[in-house]
Amino acid sequence: MTSSAPGWVAPSGPWTEPDLRAFPADEHCYEVLDGCLHVSPPRDDPHDALVSAVVDVLASAAPPSWRPVGGVGLHAGDSFLQPDVVVLRPGTPPAPEWVEPSDVALVVEIETAHSRRYDRWLKPCVYADAGVESYWRVERTHHGPVAHLYTRAKAGHYDLHRSVAPGSVVTAELPFAVQVAPATW
């Protein structure tokens, strides 16, 4: 039997952002959480459609110079994470590959079957510890998407502000006023 070992070697210490560059561009999501590598399988088409819809909704409500985008990494301490959507504050350089938490007003994660625990427990801790003021988690259910909107408490964790079920419409206040209507996503 022939082994087809990858062309990289694990680092002798914590994983870093340069280590991520050694991985293939194969649609897997490679992230570093507190120096530990985490790999997620490729996202499916419904996931990608939700990401696009959330970016579009945020972009249509964004004040001038605020930029909702997908595909931008967030660097926080020893973590290099790939949120599904971030809202960049005014003054953030155009087309960044990685941003600092101070550049980000909102992080949105769209859950998949493989990311559920990661998106509910681990990543929000990093985002909150880093000072990102708002976090949305979109849960895919058989009734349609449910948006869970969190705000950062003074103690440095997220508090659930509200959940928005399919068929409901609310106005989220952070990072700016935007209509949240998951059934339209």
Side-chain angles (χ1 to χ4, degrees):
M1 182 180 292
T2 305
S3 173
S4 59
W8 52 265
V9 176
S12 59
W15 289 86
T16 64
E17 186 270 338
D19 297 320
L20 294 175
R21 295 177 190 275
F23 291 104
D26 62 2
E27 297 187 25
H28 285 81
C29 182
Y30 299 95
E31 299 176 290
V32 173
L33 179 69
D34 294 334
C36 298
L37 180 65
H38 184 270
V39 181
S40 301
R43 303 321 203 261
D44 58 15
D45 289 340
H47 176 273
D48 292 344
L50 274 172
V51 168
S52 293
V54 170
V55 168
D56 289 347
V57 165
L58 288 165
S60 69
S65 301
W66 290 77
R67 292 187 326 221
V69 295
V72 172
L74 187 133
H75 168 233
D78 289 335
S79 297
F80 297 87
L81 302 175
Q82 295 286 334
D84 290 314
V85 178
V86 295
V87 173
L88 300 175
R89 296 178 183 283
T92 304
E97 183 178 358
W98 294 98
V99 293
E100 297 296 320
S102 59
D103 296 325
V104 178
L106 168 68
V107 170
V108 181
E109 294 287 1
I110 312 295
E111 284 187 3
T112 68
H114 305 290
S115 72
R116 184 168 290 115
R117 287 187 179 123
Y118 197 53
D119 292 342
R120 288 183 183 194
W121 304 108
L122 296 175
K123 289 175 90 172
C125 291
V126 174
Y127 300 143
D129 285 347
V132 177
E133 73 179 324
S134 299
Y135 176 69
W136 293 4
R137 179 177 53 83
V138 179
E139 178 182 2
R140 294 164 51 184
T141 73
H142 52 277
H143 299 294
V146 176
H148 303 281
L149 315 180
Y150 298 84
T151 54
R152 188 172 181 273
K154 290 185 192 283
H157 64 273
Y158 288 119
D159 287 332
L160 179 62
H161 179 64
R162 66 176 67 149
S163 293
V164 186
S168 296
V169 178
V170 301
T171 299
E173 298 82 21
L174 294 174
F176 42 75
V178 58
Q179 292 288 313
V180 178
T184 64
W185 303 343

